[in-house]
Amino acid sequence: MVSAVACVALVSGCAQTVSGIPTTLGGYSTTKVAGLPAANGPSGPKTDAPEPRLKVDGTDNGEMDELARNAVADVDDYWAETFPEVFSGKEFKPVKRLISYDSNAPGRPLCGKNSSHLVNAFYCPPEDLIAWDRGTLLPELKNNFGPMAVVTVLAHEMGHAVQNRAGTAKPDDPAIVLEQQADCFTGSYFRHVAEGDSKYFRVSTGTGLNEVMSVLNYIRDSPSVSNFTGGNAHGTAFDRVSAFQYGFDQGPDRCAGMDFDDVTKRTTLFQNWKPAQNETELPINDKSIEAVNESLHEVFRDTGAPEPKVTTDPTSCGDRQKTSPADYCAATNTISLDVSELREIAQPPSKDSDATGYGDFAAYAQIASRYALAVQKSAGFTLDDEAAGLRTACLVGAWSGLLVEDPIGQRNPVGKLRVLPDDIDEGVSALLGDESLIAANVKGEQVPVGFARVEAFRVGVQRGISPCTTKYVG
Ligand SMILES: [Zn+2]
């Protein structure tokens, strides 16, 4: 749901070209996406796509099934070529059966389940089949995220077929290992599409990939895959997007190497960790703002940056137009907040209302982003270029990462504030949206490529403050 809200904002931002000065920021580029040029061209099915000869059981020959079938055909093509290269010459065999069903229709047995009300798409290992719900799931994905959402889901399910064939998952691996691999394989497939090598689809590296990353959190496998492993964790949106980015950037070898150890080290949500019953959203008020401020001061104390003044009073900052819901004025080292705007962002995301919120953490991350500018100013960095936006995302990530209580309980968060992995997801959703300050410079400008924003945020979460000021240098 968190992702769904982000994407509604994204869909309206299609079909513009990305502007920006071609710069390489210490190896991190704002005009390239993992080495490909950043562009916001069209994404979706190609008009000259071939007609695949794939049999779909139960099909109604409608639009959804055509899209799903073409997606499977395309992912088949990709793995037919790639699988032998990655898995020592082994040939890739297509899945045995494809099944379309309508979750609104009377049920039929499917991989040990009943298809009635099964709003899902899944790979069934014992029967080596992929099934999808053309009645509710696929139309919902397409309406909310665009046609590439359907392709994303099927590429993910094919990722499970790939790991089954390659033996990259051990029978006792927890489900999150399988999910990380499948998301990573999805990323490596999308690299192929983004490079223009797909016969069926194209995806732009700007908004196109933003949408694909937004949909990842929306996918839920049926229990059949979970039964395969005896676990249930899909990972947080942050983990899922990270796995996708690794696959896109580093290719299927990286995915094949995602084992128990790698996943344990990297993921924010591991094994059966669950939030405590009494967890509540932190309301936006003076007390919470003070707590956030204290946590920021604590996290960034060692940088020696003078603590900025935080105010909810009306302020001005010379002639410059202020950013909302938070503004950083370098001249006076003051952060001014628009509390009612912050409250809107802090609304829990909801599919059923017009609310534009991402959740409480997303609101507090806006404040943190302006605090990160004060840290940068003190270190002598410019605040108004693209590098400043990525440094900001990285520093907000560092702050967030230090507030996460380790799910295995090995680490206590810094300060009094406690952040849950779900909160980090609110930050990722906001990062993929159009209006957030989390990856924005002092003027409120974000780098156009969501991929780069999320990556910078992740560098901060995983590696702390120091890479933020060494990697993202204008
Ligand atoms: Zn899965």
Side-chain angles (χ1 to χ4, degrees):
M1 286 219 203
V2 170
S3 296
V5 173
C7 196
V8 173
L10 285 166
V11 171
S12 62
C14 293
Q16 16 171 309
T17 45
V18 173
S19 60
I21 310 145
T23 46
T24 300
L25 306 173
Y28 290 79
S29 168
T30 56
T31 53
K32 291 216 163 128
V33 177
L36 298 180
N40 279 352
S43 294
K46 285 185 169 177
T47 47
D48 56 351
E51 179 94 353
R53 265 181 260 157
L54 279 180
K55 186 167 168 273
V56 177
D57 292 346
T59 183
D60 68 348
N61 293 308
E63 185 198 352
M64 287 304 127
D65 281 355
E66 188 191 343
L67 185 56
R69 185 195 58 184
N70 287 10
V72 171
D74 198 39
V75 182
D76 266 345
D77 283 356
Y78 169 72
W79 285 114
E81 193 183 313
T82 311
F83 196 89
E85 293 166 10
V86 183
F87 302 107
S88 41
K90 229 171 137 184
E91 193 191 331
F92 181 76
K93 291 198 182 71
V95 293
K96 279 194 193 126
R97 268 181 94 190
L98 303 175
I99 297 179
S100 163
Y101 68 92
D102 182 347
S103 61
N104 305 307
R108 53 175 285 188
L110 207 50
C111 192
K113 305 276 153 198
N114 188 303
S115 69
S116 173
H117 305 297
L118 187 64
V119 180
N120 218 325
F122 56 92
Y123 172 66
C124 176
E127 298 175 36
D128 193 37
L129 66 80
I130 284 177
W132 60 79
D133 166 28
R134 68 167 179 273
T136 301
L137 179 73
L138 264 44
E140 202 172 286
L141 286 168
K142 182 171 177 269
N143 292 340
N144 283 325
F145 301 93
M148 294 313 278
V150 173
V151 182
T152 307
V153 167
L154 287 156
H156 173 95
E157 301 312 332
M158 285 289 287
H160 286 304
V162 167
Q163 72 196 168
N164 210 22
R165 282 155 173 69
T168 52
K170 298 187 184 63
D172 57 346
D173 273 340
I176 191 167
V177 174
L178 304 197
E179 294 309 321
Q180 285 278 295
Q181 283 182 6
D183 287 336
C184 184
F185 286 137
T186 306
S188 73
Y189 159 73
F190 266 97
R191 169 93 194 189
H192 157 88
V193 181
E195 283 177 341
D197 294 334
S198 157
K199 282 185 276 187
Y200 297 88
F201 302 102
R202 54 188 174 178
V203 70
S204 76
T205 50
T207 49
L209 282 184
N210 289 5
E211 285 164 17
V212 168
M213 289 188 288
S214 293
V215 85
L216 282 172
N217 190 39
Y218 198 84
I219 314 172
R220 293 286 178 269
D221 290 313
S222 90
S224 60
V225 170
S226 307
N227 289 346
F228 181 49
T229 59
N232 209 348
H234 282 74
T236 59
F238 177 69
D239 295 331
R240 304 200 67 171
V241 167
S242 298
F244 178 90
Q245 290 197 327
Y246 285 127
F248 190 95
D249 194 13
Q250 299 171 38
D253 286 315
R254 175 70 182 90
C255 313
M258 284 184 171
D259 58 9
F260 185 84
D261 281 349
D262 172 64
V263 171
T264 313
K265 264 185 250 144
R266 222 169 16 80
T267 53
T268 55
L269 180 58
F270 190 69
Q271 293 186 327
N272 296 319
W273 180 83
K274 283 193 180 67
Q277 287 294 316
N278 57 357
E279 297 296 346
T280 50
E281 299 272 300
L282 194 62
I284 305 280
N285 57 33
D286 287 350
K287 203 173 145 223
S288 317
I289 290 170
E290 183 51 36
V292 167
N293 204 18
E294 268 177 37
S295 77
L296 287 161
H297 188 47
E298 202 157 325
V299 166
F300 294 115
R301 178 178 302 157
D302 290 348
T303 66
E307 201 176 352
K309 182 174 176 246
V310 178
T311 178
T312 53
D313 297 334
T315 56
S316 62
C317 186
D319 296 337
R320 190 175 56 82
Q321 192 172 2
K322 286 172 65 180
T323 56
S324 180
D327 183 75
Y328 176 62
C329 185
T332 57
N333 198 31
T334 303
I335 295 170
S336 44
L337 305 176
D338 182 333
V339 172
S340 65
E341 284 277 328
L342 282 170
R343 285 194 177 127
E344 258 180 51
I345 293 171
Q347 293 288 319
S350 164
K351 217 167 47 164
D352 306 317
S353 80
D354 295 333
T356 51
Y358 293 101
D360 57 351
F361 176 78
Y364 290 115
Q366 314 285 324
I367 304 176
S369 76
R370 301 306 90 180
Y371 199 108
L373 289 168
V375 172
Q376 293 173 61
K377 186 199 166 215
S378 151
F381 287 105
T382 51
L383 302 184
D384 58 359
D385 55 8
E386 290 196 321
L390 291 181
R391 276 194 300 270
T392 299
C394 183
L395 289 167
V396 175
W399 168 74
S400 315
L402 288 168
L403 298 185
V404 179
E405 187 165 353
D406 188 295
I408 316 171
Q410 289 176 336
R411 190 183 73 201
N412 287 319
V414 171
K416 295 187 197 97
L417 217 60
R418 182 167 176 252
V419 158
L420 305 175
D422 284 354
D423 287 315
I424 303 273
D425 286 359
E426 295 172 7
V428 171
S429 293
L431 274 169
L432 289 169
D434 285 340
E435 310 253 294
S436 160
L437 293 176
I438 299 173
N441 65 20
V442 75
K443 294 190 280 188
E445 298 162 347
Q446 304 192 84
V447 299
V449 179
F451 200 97
R453 294 178 217 151
V454 174
E455 190 175 53
F457 179 79
R458 188 180 65 240
V459 166
V461 170
Q462 290 176 340
R463 295 171 51 200
I465 296 167
S466 66
C468 304
T469 50
T470 53
K471 295 222 171 270
Y472 304 99
V473 183

